[in-house]
Amino acid sequence: MGLSRLAALHGVATSYSPSPDVTVSVPDDTVIAVLAALGVDAGTPADVRKCLAAAESRSRLLPPTVVVWAGEPLPPALAGLPPGSTVTVEPEPSDLPGHPAGRPPAPLSMRARAAAPAAPVASPGEAAPEAVPAPEAPPAPAEAPAWWIPPPHGVHRVHVRTPDNRRATATLVAAPPRVPQPPEDTHGFLVQLYSLLSARSWGMGDLGDLADLAVWAGRSVGSGFVQVNPLHAAVPGKPTDPSPYRPSSRRFPDPVHLHVESIPEYGHVRDRATLDDLRQDAAALSEAVLNKGALIDRDAVWELKRQALELVAQVPLTPGRRADYCDFLAEQGQALEDHGLWCALAEVHGPDWHTWPEALRDPRSPGTARARSELLDRVDFHCRLAWLTATQLAAAQRSAEDAGMAVGIVHDLAVGVHPAGADTWSQQEAFAHGMSVGAPPDAFNARGQDWGLPPWRPDVLAATGYAAYRGLLRGLLAHAGALRIDHVMGLFRLWWVPEGRPPTDGTYVAYDAEAMLAVLVLEAHRAGTSVVGEDLGTVAPGVREALARRGVLGTSVLWFERDWEGDGRPLAPEKWRRDCLATATTHDLPSTAARLTGDHVTLRHRLGLLTRSLEEELTADLTDTAEWLALLARLRMLPEGDGDEEAAVRAVHRFLRRTPARMTGVWLPDTVGDRRPQNLPGTWDQYPNWRLPIADAEGHPVTLEEITASPRLHALMEVLRPRKPRTAPPGERRP
């Protein structure tokens, strides 16, 4: 009982429900291990009693982070302060437009009146600066108490002093109620960028190809967005982990995506012979992928680009370019310097910082400071690569907007980072070491999942005002039209698996969803971007509703949309939710052609991944597909009749357009009949995950130029023409 109470106080679940009528108890060893990762010693009954007594004896005025939503009631932590308490808010300087540079904003001071006694909350109390009683407060939203002076949107500091001289300080996140909404009736493409090779690519798709695709899609077929895979920095090595969902850093992009020839200094490199040789080698890489059956080799691509970028870095920057670079360094600050240093140290000591000399494992140690000085040139090189990549990301978004796209580039935020990467080194205190994020056992995977990604500690996030999370979002949103969040349920809870244990022995750990959402809404509001959450799989009750309230769109995949609470049949288009991105498939699922033909079942059989016989799986798959095709036929979306694969793919997308979904996504490989998934969950070296170029129905790789000229693509895009002109209501972005 004591362990359960202690776990509950720290957001650690002692049971979970894989289905409404089933409850599974979490092993005590798992609970103890997870508490240890949160800095709580529960190893013995005596330890549990000691920690429990300490936790329950704390009575604090404020939690570490307090959220205030514009136009909504104050949270209990503020609304319940004792009458006569003095509340002082120190606003963020950047959130006061027109405020003189270099001068701190005046604090907002007010006095709580006629409030109920404060309820104890778990929060460290800190001394507050002296504050005078507030003058008569201006009119406030009806939902807020009259004494409250709403601060501007931003991340502030709030100080409280009660009449009996108790004091507390916390981070105050003042957020607008919702993220910006995309225009309705918007369609676009979903693509894994590395798989999109053009005639000029260096062996894999790059940011030049992305900009080119966006311009063509916006101008030629009226698309409103292009959604890409995470472009986060990868962990270097041979071989590099090819998964874009296990990056070294989510904060900074990977320079492997650079289009080298677009860098202004490229044209001034003196050693043209070496550059020409590198370009020939790059052309050979592309030729091997496109015409000789080779897989995309990210390591080989990076080796060529690195050599070219070394030459480019020798060209002095012009005064204007130098000023731009210096501004970037100042804006990114310590985070970028740490990232550049990690990259430089990885070149010397290898990509796993746990194996580095002990003095270098601490980013703030004297030994690391010396290395920072000794490797200054290499640190600068990697910082410059981050700047160059950011400028091309910005150029891609501008190109999309100039082509008339209503949204532009939709970037992807992975759920976590590699345990050996730059983020876990530079932000060690923020991660729960010895833990991995995954998923519990469910109807689709009885053994659960372990993704090998260390989770953020919710207590450290809250204590630091979510600084790491804010910086991450701000960097990603700077050059995005919208952001997709992988496994968006992670804003509420994550399944933690102790190191060395199977995923079945994990448990859920809760995060402060109110704070996580407030920071997300605030940063999206500042950037003017929409947000799409990947909410597939097991979703706790209330999560989708909470996301929808804050304007975060969901993800609806056709094959999963059934009347699960009724007859289980395919869900009619008018019953789909409006606030979502509707699509036929994702990078983790079979292409539409593979789904319609059953090719995905035979592929899984060939790799030994089926849990039933091939005949049983094919029968079940055929039944599922037949139900959907029958619905399409009843709705007169399949006039060509049975047996026409291309017509069936078009019918699927006609159906998607009939739904009220705000956004309709077209998996780019679907436009040319590709049958191969980009990633096959449950495989590692059995299948070439994340290394396949887009291919046609016969399996022959096709270039960007061939895709955009494909008659099959243009026939498909005809069904995606806008339904009818529409005037956007207030608060929505217009094309």
Side-chain angles (χ1 to χ4, degrees):
M1 188 63 175
L3 181 62
S4 296
R5 293 211 319 273
L6 184 62
L9 287 172
H10 293 86
V12 179
T14 54
S15 65
Y16 67 97
S17 298
S19 60
D21 56 343
V22 176
T23 299
V24 178
S25 296
V26 175
D28 285 353
D29 287 351
T30 294
V31 175
I32 292 169
V34 170
L35 285 171
L38 292 169
V40 179
D41 184 2
T44 67
D47 293 329
V48 170
R49 289 192 295 271
K50 179 181 177 182
C51 290
L52 190 58
E56 292 180 335
S57 68
R58 288 194 288 265
S59 177
R60 294 163 179 161
L61 286 173
L62 297 176
T65 298
V66 180
V67 172
V68 174
W69 298 99
E72 297 184 15
L74 286 184
L78 291 176
L81 289 171
S85 296
T86 301
V87 181
T88 304
V89 176
E90 295 182 44
E92 246 182 0
S94 60
D95 286 313
L96 296 179
H99 183 78
R103 291 177 55 194
L108 303 175
S109 187
M110 60 210 87
R111 188 180 291 275
R113 301 196 294 267
V121 291
S123 169
E126 299 174 10
E130 289 297 320
V132 297
E136 192 65 28
E143 297 86 350
W147 60 267
W148 175 251
I149 304 175
H153 298 327
V155 180
H156 317 301
R157 296 294 287 171
V158 60
H159 308 282
V160 170
R161 184 177 63 189
T162 65
D164 59 358
N165 210 35
R166 288 182 296 152
R167 302 179 182 222
T169 294
T171 298
L172 178 69
V173 181
R178 288 165 61 85
V179 301
Q181 297 296 285
E184 289 187 0
D185 199 27
T186 305
H187 69 78
F189 292 107
L190 320 177
V191 63
Q192 299 283 292
L193 181 56
Y194 59 83
S195 71
L196 181 67
L197 281 74
S198 69
R200 66 182 186 181
S201 298
W202 286 39
M204 61 182 280
D206 58 41
L207 291 173
D209 298 324
L210 175 59
D212 207 35
L213 173 66
V215 170
W216 170 83
R219 296 192 184 280
S220 299
V221 295
S223 295
F225 64 92
V226 174
Q227 177 182 301
V228 295
N229 56 284
L231 304 182
H232 310 319
V235 177
K238 293 187 178 180
T240 298
D241 187 334
S243 172
Y245 292 91
R246 276 172 56 85
S248 168
S249 172
R250 296 187 294 174
R251 177 66 183 81
F252 296 102
D254 198 313
V256 76
H257 301 298
L258 281 168
H259 180 239
V260 179
E261 293 95 325
S262 293
I263 300 172
E265 289 74 35
Y266 178 88
H268 300 280
V269 172
R270 292 188 176 184
D271 190 353
R272 306 309 299 182
T274 299
L275 276 185
D276 289 343
D277 289 343
L278 291 172
R279 291 182 63 179
Q280 289 180 10
D281 291 343
L285 281 180
S286 289
E287 171 68 15
V289 171
L290 293 170
N291 295 311
K292 297 181 179 178
L295 299 174
I296 292 171
D297 188 341
R298 183 193 179 284
D299 295 326
V301 173
W302 173 237
E303 179 58 28
L304 296 178
K305 288 192 176 183
R306 183 194 60 76
Q307 293 181 53
L309 291 167
E310 298 274 8
L311 295 174
V312 169
Q314 295 174 16
V315 178
L317 298 173
T318 65
R321 294 270 290 167
R322 169 61 63 180
D324 189 40
Y325 178 43
C326 290
D327 284 349
F328 181 79
L329 292 174
E331 290 167 1
Q332 304 304 319
Q334 186 71 54
L336 176 60
E337 186 178 334
D338 285 345
H339 178 72
L341 178 58
W342 183 91
C343 293
L345 288 169
E347 291 177 332
V348 178
H349 301 288
D352 185 350
W353 61 268
H354 299 90
T355 66
W356 293 355
E358 187 171 353
L360 301 179
R361 297 175 199 169
D362 179 357
R364 306 291 171 247
S365 73
T368 300
R370 287 192 296 272
R372 197 181 301 265
S373 177
E374 294 165 357
L375 298 172
L376 187 60
D377 288 344
R378 295 307 297 173
V379 173
D380 181 70
F381 174 69
H382 290 290
C383 289
R384 184 181 294 199
L385 295 187
W387 168 61
L388 293 174
T389 311
T391 60
Q392 291 196 4
L393 288 169
Q397 176 62 14
R398 285 195 303 270
S399 296
E401 293 172 344
D402 292 345
M405 283 193 161
V407 176
I409 309 301
V410 181
H411 286 283
D412 198 352
L413 172 61
V415 70
V417 294
H418 197 287
D423 281 3
T424 58
W425 176 74
S426 62
Q427 303 169 11
Q428 292 177 39
E429 69 287 346
F431 287 91
H433 300 282
M435 294 288 147
S436 176
V437 173
D442 56 29
F444 301 100
N445 193 326
R447 291 175 288 186
Q449 300 176 57
D450 183 346
W451 302 331
L453 309 170
W456 264 337
R457 285 181 54 167
D459 56 330
V460 174
L461 284 178
T464 56
Y466 295 84
Y469 178 48
R470 286 188 279 129
L472 165 62
L473 289 174
R474 193 167 297 184
L476 282 172
L477 293 170
H479 310 302
L483 179 67
R484 173 191 182 270
I485 300 181
D486 191 47
H487 194 69
V488 72
M489 296 82 77
L491 300 180
F492 296 76
R493 65 179 188 179
L494 283 171
W495 184 257
W496 287 22
V497 181
E499 185 177 352
R501 301 189 185 187
T504 50
D505 284 356
T507 190
Y508 280 114
V509 175
Y511 291 75
D512 185 344
E514 192 81 349
M516 298 288 278
L517 281 172
V519 171
L520 173 63
V521 171
L522 172 64
E523 294 299 337
H525 174 80
R526 284 170 159 168
T529 57
S530 306
V531 178
V532 178
E534 186 270 296
D535 56 351
L536 305 175
T538 301
V539 183
V543 167
R544 287 196 174 104
E545 292 77 8
L547 293 169
R549 182 184 180 195
R550 299 305 170 195
V552 178
L553 274 60
T555 301
S556 293
V557 177
L558 181 131
W559 311 101
F560 301 154
E561 292 297 313
R562 289 176 170 270
D563 184 9
W564 298 114
E565 296 181 359
D567 58 15
R569 293 187 179 278
L571 198 63
E574 65 273 11
K575 294 184 178 180
W576 283 43
R577 53 182 168 170
R578 172 175 174 264
D579 294 327
C580 74
L581 166 65
T583 183
T585 190
T586 73
H587 58 267
D588 282 333
L589 297 172
S591 70
T592 305
R595 175 80 67 171
L596 291 168
T597 58
D599 283 4
H600 69 110
V601 177
T602 56
L603 172 62
R604 293 179 65 82
H605 171 68
R606 191 163 65 248
L607 297 175
L609 299 176
L610 299 183
T611 57
R612 297 181 293 182
S613 70
L614 175 60
E615 182 179 356
E616 289 176 302
E617 292 281 356
L618 284 172
T619 299
D621 185 70
L622 177 62
T623 301
D624 181 83
T625 303
E627 282 191 303
W628 278 103
L629 291 175
L631 175 59
L632 297 175
R634 287 198 304 273
L635 295 174
R636 299 182 180 180
M637 295 181 180
L638 190 54
E640 299 86 351
D642 296 336
D644 187 331
E645 176 193 307
E646 289 188 42
V649 173
R650 291 195 296 271
V652 163
H653 289 84
R654 282 193 188 97
F655 181 95
L656 294 176
R657 285 299 267 172
R658 182 78 66 86
T659 73
R662 280 185 173 273
M663 302 172 70
T664 303
V666 180
W667 179 235
L668 190 60
D670 273 350
T671 66
V672 290
D674 198 344
R675 281 167 162 70
R676 305 172 304 176
Q678 281 294 315
N679 177 51
L680 191 58
T683 64
W684 179 245
D685 56 0
Q686 308 99 309
Y687 186 80
N689 296 318
W690 318 114
R691 290 173 288 170
L692 292 171
I694 296 175
D696 61 21
E698 286 71 44
H700 187 277
V702 288
T703 63
L704 170 60
E705 293 83 358
E706 291 169 328
I707 293 170
T708 57
S710 166
R712 179 166 179 160
L713 176 145
H714 286 275
L716 174 58
M717 298 311 294
E718 280 295 312
V719 310
L720 293 169
R721 289 184 179 278
R723 291 182 280 259
K724 60 181 179 179
R726 171 185 173 277
T727 301
E732 288 192 13
R733 297 186 305 164
R734 299 173 185 269

